[in-house]
């Protein structure tokens, strides 16, 4: 039975994202808002003493990000497929510009840190562009057959490797791995043959071993990689961070130390970059196993939901975009939480929707906007139906160019509501 | 079928993968927070907890009336702490700016910045390492350690300059316009930061004891000076400056690893300052507030930037102060003594110069002939005032002195070098560390020995016969010694009292010849002139009695004459061997020379000719018998100098030969002569007080021995010493005390010890005691190159006047009737 059901607004995803933001709000508040001496004071007085400035900014980033996501949702996602070549080239140019500019004045001016540091990074936005262009290419070449020809496989890889190489040259190892993860997951979802992926993995491993043994990698680069894998090699840097984060995390125990607990490591700034990379340690210390476990559960639910959505949409471009966004969030979540519990190596990667920081918050919300846009315009199918073949639809681009498909999105919403109320009437619930 | 379809959807595969991954994470989270949570909680608490060691205040050093000579005062240090999480290049660059700014701020306000960097610049402007050690293996070890914590590869950066330029330009980004000298200071701070990398919460001290202005400026600029803070510490203050500097001493850093290990075992920190001279050093364990039992701790909670957030008052332990040390010293008397000594030295110098100019041609001729063409002028000296009844040191001067405050403030290298290389050795306490030939002041010891051993009686009369020949063989061509008095007939029929008054050498030649060296040395050692005095000061030199052991002992490090003999022999042997066409290593000659010298103390000291030739035959393969006999006689002449003989003995009797004494040893000797034969340890510490003022220990006089000698003998010696300074009796120092108001109330003795062939360079001694009837103080004045013993009288004169005047004043006060007839 090919029951079709128009997606409508993807409330489950929205609910999960808002929940994660809520946890992040309190974690950041706890890390930055310390009200000072709270002994013998009423809740109201304490509230007055709290420093709201960071959470306020954080909320503003989230609010603007939500607006962006809604705009993205309302515009028909197929329109983005048309924009991809321009976006892709523009982003590559920016990345090259960053690389050239940064290497010329390496370490001499401070604005590079603020502009190309963690707050405003072109490589962040590149993640979204990468997801869109990969989704477009992969769906175009694989929609008909359900798999990729080797020639197409190689061509798409060549295109994907350009931004990857640029961030590697920027020495931004963490982001490079995010790109790689997104690329591999999307290839996998697009139906690339497993042997192709294994072959690629083997070739990459071989190239890496060759680069290492033939001393193409400089000693400092090797050192960076070694420290990345084993923080204890750098006891005053990464190792120090790791050890403090682990201690904070563990000391939270079941219920956590609570907000603004005097003497908590988050209160004494022991946790490094505690509003960003190590925010999960703050959650672990403040809200204990219950809080940290809840965050883990929320992420798992979000990822399962996104993959489920991806797996139930027949329009392959949209399905792959959801898969790419899911991959992006998944990697961030796994790495950021994993390094706080000692399961992953240390690298500076924020926890989606939770960590403080504008560009990452926007990037993730833009991704969610894409997801919502896809869900709004596609019916969900069962697994069995999907076997009957996926397609790559560019119809909207011919029919409904004016207004970026806003009319169709309105129609989709109305249609979904009508269907839902009909279903309720039919099944009595 | 449905399930198969589910499996075919790749998105579902990914769901499985993530369920598995999150499952693993969940288990790890559980282990971390639930299983091991308590452990981490404990660890998180200990990481925030710091025990800060607090040292107690160092005790004061006070004179006998409680006048402070040294105390500790609160001071401010400038420290730097690096945030351990800030390791990026930009962070280092920012920190370098902070350090640079701080250094400039400190230096612009006249304070000094600590430079403990291993990288330094030598005089030529070359970059060199300075490790503070010289031994090759120690240098290698330090360099290796340093390279390790600095992360500097020895292959890539082999030289100091390589390290400097790399650290300066690449690693720490010191701007190019900064001069090398300033850059080295910045690198010194960075070096100390790197050396505590694993405990980076430990602050690095940039400057100590800075002015209030610097403190205020640092506090004012604290916003931009990230990591820089002001810490309280203490500085040692010596309110009297140079006064009694050699007795008080000063503090310094632990100089070597052994000291550090020893002090750390007592609970010191390696950065603590310890006493390195004077009472500061010898009473370290009493004064110190850094010793384990006196240190306390502050237990605090700190944040990641090491800022103290909370105090655990209940766990903190306050530090206790060190004890105060009260000296036997009287600051007032000390002031007088130092003034008098300085005036005395200047006066003698003028006399010397006048005497030199009066007979310049003769002196210049002698100077031209010897290796040292400069006259050794009277430029330094020492004086001691001792309580004869207890051995307590009332005053002790050593000129020139130094200002211990220089060390307290952190002495600059050039200032230290000026002190170390001054030819007058200002850092040396000459009252205890300078050994000098005593000359005639030794004659009381010879007198006592002669009387006790029955060589002479109080009635024995000896007339000066000019040349003393008793020890020479009949018809010997050798010249015997004679008295300083040319008209020896004037020294006729002398009793021991007359002989002391006249300081007649002939008399004492005869006495010591009659005694022999063993019996003479027995009494000399009974009077304490064979050891140190036991004064509570570091670096005391012992007195040395004249005998074979002092002249030459092959089993001890060779000094003075034996070294000369050895060098003569080496030169002689080499010349002879070359004549014979043979060549050996220098070490071979040295070995042979030492073997030959040993013959001087071989069992049969008179018949060593055969042994001597054997050595030459075996060691240097010299076989020609003619050559051997010539060499044997030449060498014998050298060796003969090393053999103690009667000539040495009789010279010892007048305080010459190899006899050496210190002013402090002589003060004790004089005390024993006039207090009834009681030999005390010299004592500088009176008592030790608890910080609250309570008495912890009151030091008692340490009597070593009481000589069992008839009082008549001591009375005769005292009488002789009285006549020395008496005008009517015409003693040797009479003219120096002409018209002195306290004549008759004291006794004394001059000593003029010959040290070279120029009489201007003679060492001058004057010793005395007062009052005459019930002696209370002994005064010793020693002026190296003081020309003549009587020249040293003026210091003694000033001190006798000072003491007796004061005594008279206090005596009157004591006997004044008080109100209601009570006395007080």
């Amino acid at each position: 039975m090919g029951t079709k059901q128009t997606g409508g607004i993807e409330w489950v995803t929205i609910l999960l994202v808002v929940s994660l933001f809520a946890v992040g709000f309190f974690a950041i508040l706890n890390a930055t808002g310390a009200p000072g001496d709270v002994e013998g004071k009423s809740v109201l007085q304490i509230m007055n003493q709290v420093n709201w400035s960071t959470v306020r900014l954080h909320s503003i980033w989230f609010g603007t990000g939500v607006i962006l996501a809604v705009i993205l949702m309302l515009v028909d996602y197929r329109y983005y497929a048309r924009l991809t070549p321009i976006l892709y080239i523009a982003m590559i140019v920016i990345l090259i510009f960053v690389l050239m500019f940064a290497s010329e004045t390496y370490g001499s001016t401070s604005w590079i840190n603020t502009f190309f540091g963690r707050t405003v990074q072109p490589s962040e936005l590149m993640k979204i562009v990468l997801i869109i262009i990969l989704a477009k290419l992969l769906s175009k070449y694989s929609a008909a057959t359900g798999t990729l020809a080797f020639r197409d496989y190689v061509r798409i890889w060549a295109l994907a490797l350009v931004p990857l190489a640029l961030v590697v040259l920027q020495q931004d190892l963490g982001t490079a791995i995010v790109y790689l993860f997104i690329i591999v997951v999307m290839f996998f979802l697009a139906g690339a043959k497993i042997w192709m992926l294994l072959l690629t993995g083997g070739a990459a491993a071989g190239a890496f071993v060759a680069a290492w043994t033939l001393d193409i990698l400089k000693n400092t680069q090797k050192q960076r990689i070694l420290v990345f894998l084993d923080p204890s090699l750098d006891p005053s840097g990464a190792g120090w961070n790791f050890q403090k984060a682990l201690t904070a995390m563990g000391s939270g125990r079941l219920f956590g130390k609570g907000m603004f607990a005097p003497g908590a490591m988050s209160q004494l700034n022991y946790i490094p970059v505690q509003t960003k990379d190590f925010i999960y340690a703050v959650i672990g210390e403040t809200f204990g196993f219950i809080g940290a476990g809840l965050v883990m559960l929320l992420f798992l639910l979000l990822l399962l939901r996104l993959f489920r959505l991806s797996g139930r949409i027949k329009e392959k471009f949209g399905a792959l975009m959801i898969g790419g966004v899911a991959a992006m969030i998944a990697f961030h979540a796994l790495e950021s939480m994993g390094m706080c519990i000692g399961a992953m190596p240390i690298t500076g990667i924020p926890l989606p929707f939770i960590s403080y920081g504008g560009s990452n918050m926007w990037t993730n919300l833009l991704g969610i906007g894409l997801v919502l846009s896809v869900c709004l315009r596609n019916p969900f199918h069962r697994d069995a139906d999907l076997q009957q073949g996926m397609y790559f639809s560019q119809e909207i681009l011919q029919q409904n160019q004016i207004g970026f498909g806003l009319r169709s999105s309105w129609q989709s919403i109305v249609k979904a509501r009508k269907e839902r109320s009909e279903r309720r009437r039919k099944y009595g619930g | 079928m449905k399930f198969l379809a589910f499996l075919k959807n790749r998105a579902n595969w990914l769901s499985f993968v993530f369920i598995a991954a999150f499952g693993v994470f969940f288990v790890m989270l559980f282990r971390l927070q639930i299983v091991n949570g308590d452990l981490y909680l404990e660890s998180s608490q200990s990481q925030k907890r710091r025990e800060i060691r607090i040292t107690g205040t160092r005790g004061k050093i006070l004179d006998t009336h409680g006048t402070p000579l040294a105390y500790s005062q609160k001071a401010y240090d400038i420290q730097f702490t690096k945030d351990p999480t800030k390791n990026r290049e930009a962070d280092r660059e920012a920190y370098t700016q902070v350090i640079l700014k701080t250094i400039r701020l400190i230096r612009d306000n006249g304070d000094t910045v600590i430079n403990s960097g291993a990288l330094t610049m030598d005089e030529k402007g070359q970059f060199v390492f300075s490790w503070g050690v010289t031994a090759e293996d120690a240098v290698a070890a330090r360099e290796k350690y340093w390279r390790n914590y600095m992360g500097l590869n020895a292959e890539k950066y082999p030289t100091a300059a390589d390290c400097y330029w790399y650290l300066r330009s690449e690693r720490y980004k010191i701007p190019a316009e900064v001069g090398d000298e300033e850059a080295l200071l910045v690198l010194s701070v960075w070096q100390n930061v790197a050396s505590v990398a694993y405990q980076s919460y430990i602050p690095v001290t940039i400057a100590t004891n800075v002015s209030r202005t610097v403190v205020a400026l640092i506090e004012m600029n604290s916003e931009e000076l990230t990591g820089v803070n002001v810490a309280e510490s203490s500085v040692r203050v010596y309110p009297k400056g140079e006064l009694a500097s050699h007795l008080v001493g000063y503090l310094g850093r632990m100089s070597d690893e052994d000291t550090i290990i020893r002090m750390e075992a007592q609970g010191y920190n390696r950065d603590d300052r310890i006493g390195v001279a004077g009472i500061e050093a010898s009473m370290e364990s009493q004064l110190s507030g850094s010793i384990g039992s006196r240190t306390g701790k502050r237990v605090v909670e700190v944040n990641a930037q090491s800022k103290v957030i909370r105090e655990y008052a209940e766990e903190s332990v306050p530090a206790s102060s060190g004890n105060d040390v009260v000296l036997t010293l009287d600051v007032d008397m000390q002031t007088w003594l130092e003034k008098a000594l300085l005036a005395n030295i200047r006066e003698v110098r003028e006399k010397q110069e006048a005497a030199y100019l009066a007979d310049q041609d003769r002196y210049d001729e002698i100077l031209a002939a010897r290796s040292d063409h400069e006259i050794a002028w009277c430029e330094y000296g020492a004086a001691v005032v001792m309580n004869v009844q207890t051995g307590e040191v009332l005053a002790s001067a050593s000129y020139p002195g130094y200002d211990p405050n220089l060390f307290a403030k952190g002495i600059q290298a050039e200032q230290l070098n000026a002190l170390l290389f001054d030819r007058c050795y200002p850092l040396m306490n000459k009252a205890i560390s300078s050994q000098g030939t005593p000359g005639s002041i030794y004659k009381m010891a010879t007198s006592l020995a002669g009387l006790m051993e029955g060589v002479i009686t109080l009635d024995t009369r000896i007339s000066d016969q000019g040349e003393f020949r008793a020890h020479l063989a009949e018809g010997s061509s050798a010249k015997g010694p004679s008295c300083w008095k040319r008209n020896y007939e004037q020294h006729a029929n002398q009793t021991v009292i007359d002989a002391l008054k006249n300081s007649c050498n002939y008399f004492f030649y005869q006495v010591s010849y009659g005694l022999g060296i063993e019996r003479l040395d027995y009494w000399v050692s009974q009077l304490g002139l064979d050891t140190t005095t036991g004064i509570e000061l570091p670096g005391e030199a012992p007195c040395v009695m004249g005998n074979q052991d002092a002249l030459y002992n092959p089993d001890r490090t060779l000094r003075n004459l034996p070294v000369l003999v050895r060098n003569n022999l080496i030169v002689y042997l080499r010349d002879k061997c070359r004549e014979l066409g043979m060549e050996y290593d220098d070490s071979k000659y040295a070995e042979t020379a030492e073997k030959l010298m040993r013959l001087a103390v071989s069992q049969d000291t008179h018949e060593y000719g055969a042994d001597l030739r054997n050595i030459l035959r075996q060691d240097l393969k010299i076989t020609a018998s003619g050559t051997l006999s010539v060499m044997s006689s030449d060498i014998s002449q050298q060796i003969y100098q090393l053999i103690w003989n009667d000539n040495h003995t009789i010279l010892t009797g007048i305080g010459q030969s190899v006899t050496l004494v210190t002013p402090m040893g002589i003060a004790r000797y004089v005390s024993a002569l006039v207090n009834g034969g009681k030999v005390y340890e010299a004592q500088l510490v009176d008592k030790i007080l608890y910080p609250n003022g309570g008495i912890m220990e009151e030091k008692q006089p340490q009597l070593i021995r009481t000589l069992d000698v008839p009082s008549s003998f001591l009375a005769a010696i005292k009488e002789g010493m009285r006549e020395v300074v008496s005008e009517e009796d015409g003693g040797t120092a009479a003219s120096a005390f002409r018209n002195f108001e306290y004549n008759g109330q004291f006794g004394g003795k001059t000593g003029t010890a010959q040290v070279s062939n120029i009489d201007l360079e003679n060492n001058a001694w004057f010793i005395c005691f007062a009052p005459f009837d019930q002696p209370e103080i002994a005064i010793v004045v020693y002026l190296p190159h003081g020309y003549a013993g009587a020249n040293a009288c003026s210091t003694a004169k000033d001190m006798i006047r000072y003491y007796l005047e004061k005594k008279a004043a206090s005596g009157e006060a004591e006997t004044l009737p008080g109100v209601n007839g009570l006395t007080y």
Side-chain angles (χ1 to χ4, degrees), chain B residues 380-419:
Chain B
Y380 47 93
V384 174
V385 180
M386 183 180 269
N387 180 340
V388 299
Q389 301 299 343
T390 57
E392 289 171 348
V393 176
L394 302 176
S396 169
S398 174
Y399 180 83
Y402 58 89
D403 184 358
N405 289 306
L406 287 179
F407 291 91
K409 284 178 193 147
I411 193 161
Q412 300 291 301
E414 54 267 35
Q415 289 173 321
L416 183 63
N417 285 340
L419 287 174

Side-chain angles (χ1 to χ4, degrees), chain A residues 248-261:
Chain A
M249 192 89 214
S251 66
R253 300 188 295 174
L254 182 58
F255 297 107
K257 295 176 185 170
M259 295 284 284
F260 308 130

Side-chain angles (χ1 to χ4, degrees), chain A residues 189-246:
Chain A
L189 285 177
K193 290 268 193 311
I194 300 295
W195 66 263
M196 289 184 194
L197 289 171
L198 288 178
L199 192 74
T200 317
F208 181 77
V209 170
W212 189 280
T213 51
L214 296 177
D215 280 334
I216 293 166
L217 285 169
K218 285 184 198 147
N219 271 334
T220 49
Q221 289 169 324
K222 286 183 186 178
Q223 190 62 26
R224 278 174 71 92
I225 293 165
L226 288 174
V227 169
F228 172 72
L229 294 173
D230 181 5
S232 66
L233 291 174
D234 179 17
S236 65
W240 198 91
N241 293 349
F242 173 67
Q243 194 263 340
K244 296 290 175 245
L246 206 63

Side-chain angles (χ1 to χ4, degrees), chain B residues 292-326:
Chain B
S293 55
R294 297 204 187 102
T295 54
K297 60 177 181 181
R298 248 175 90 198
V299 185
V300 294
E301 182 180 276
V302 297
N303 70 6
Q305 285 72 41
S306 296
K307 201 174 147 205
V308 173
I309 301 295
R310 243 195 315 171
E311 297 263 353
Y312 296 107
E314 66 282 359
E315 290 178 62
S316 298
V317 180
S320 37
S321 299
N323 297 323
D324 294 345
V325 172
V326 180

Side-chain angles (χ1 to χ4, degrees), chain A residues 188 192 243 253 263 268 270 311, chain B residues 9-10 38 47-48 302 304:
Chain A
F188 178 75
Q243 194 263 340
R253 300 188 295 174
L268 301 176
Y270 275 95
Chain B
N9 190 336
R10 283 190 170 184
D38 291 340
Q47 284 181 27
K48 297 172 308 197
V302 297

Side-chain angles (χ1 to χ4, degrees), chain B residues 68-207:
Chain B
L69 294 168
Y71 60 87
S72 290
Q73 200 173 52
K74 194 195 266 182
Y76 297 96
D77 291 355
I78 304 301
Q79 297 181 330
F80 171 71
T81 318
K82 180 181 156 290
D83 184 339
T85 56
K86 297 212 164 128
N87 294 313
R88 290 184 310 169
E89 192 174 85
D91 296 327
R92 284 202 296 273
E93 200 175 348
Y95 273 136
T96 291
Q97 287 299 333
V98 166
I99 295 167
L100 196 60
K101 219 171 269 175
T102 309
I103 287 175
R104 284 182 177 164
L105 197 149
I106 293 167
R107 304 220 302 171
D108 288 350
N109 287 282
D111 284 316
T112 38
V113 169
I114 295 174
N115 187 356
S116 51
L119 284 170
T120 50
M121 214 192 262
D122 65 9
E123 307 86 54
K124 285 172 255 154
Q126 304 287 311
F127 292 103
V128 287
F129 292 117
S130 100
W131 306 110
V133 289
T134 45
E136 221 165 276
D137 51 339
V139 165
R142 294 215 179 177
E143 181 166 346
K144 194 178 165 203
Y145 180 62
W146 181 79
R147 281 186 182 279
N148 186 29
Y149 69 69
M150 293 299 286
L152 287 169
N153 190 316
E155 282 159 31
K156 205 165 170 197
Y157 310 105
T159 67
D162 294 337
C163 293
Y164 171 77
W165 288 111
Y166 166 71
L167 292 176
R168 171 186 176 140
S169 322
E170 306 270 321
R171 186 171 316 159
Y172 296 122
K173 306 272 171 201
I174 300 173
E177 72 270 14
V178 175
D180 288 336
E181 190 251 345
E182 204 168 33
L184 285 171
L185 290 175
V186 175
L187 290 183
S188 165
V189 176
W190 273 117
Q191 170 194 304
N192 293 334
V193 169
S195 74
V196 294
Y198 296 94
Q199 303 153 285
S200 39
Y201 57 85
I202 295 179
V204 167
T205 306
I206 299 182

Side-chain angles (χ1 to χ4, degrees), chain B residues 656-691:
Chain B
Q656 291 284 159
S657 178
V658 294
T659 312
L660 291 172
V661 295
T662 63
M664 194 58 72
I666 289 295
R668 173 167 77 163
Y669 153 76
V670 177
S671 301
L673 288 173
V674 300
N675 70 8
K678 292 194 278 291
V679 179
Y680 287 101
E681 272 190 3
Q683 183 186 340
L684 182 59
V685 174
D686 182 21
K687 53 190 171 229
I688 291 159
L689 303 179
Y690 288 117

Side-chain angles (χ1 to χ4, degrees), chain B residues 111 132-133 185 192-193 209 239 272 282 331 379 400 476 486 498 589 591 674 678 680 781:
Chain B
D111 284 316
V133 289
L185 290 175
N192 293 334
V193 169
N209 192 26
D272 289 336
S282 59
V331 159
E379 288 177 309
S476 160
R486 302 254 171 86
D498 298 330
Y589 295 127
E591 190 193 318
V674 300
K678 292 194 278 291
Y680 287 101
V781 184

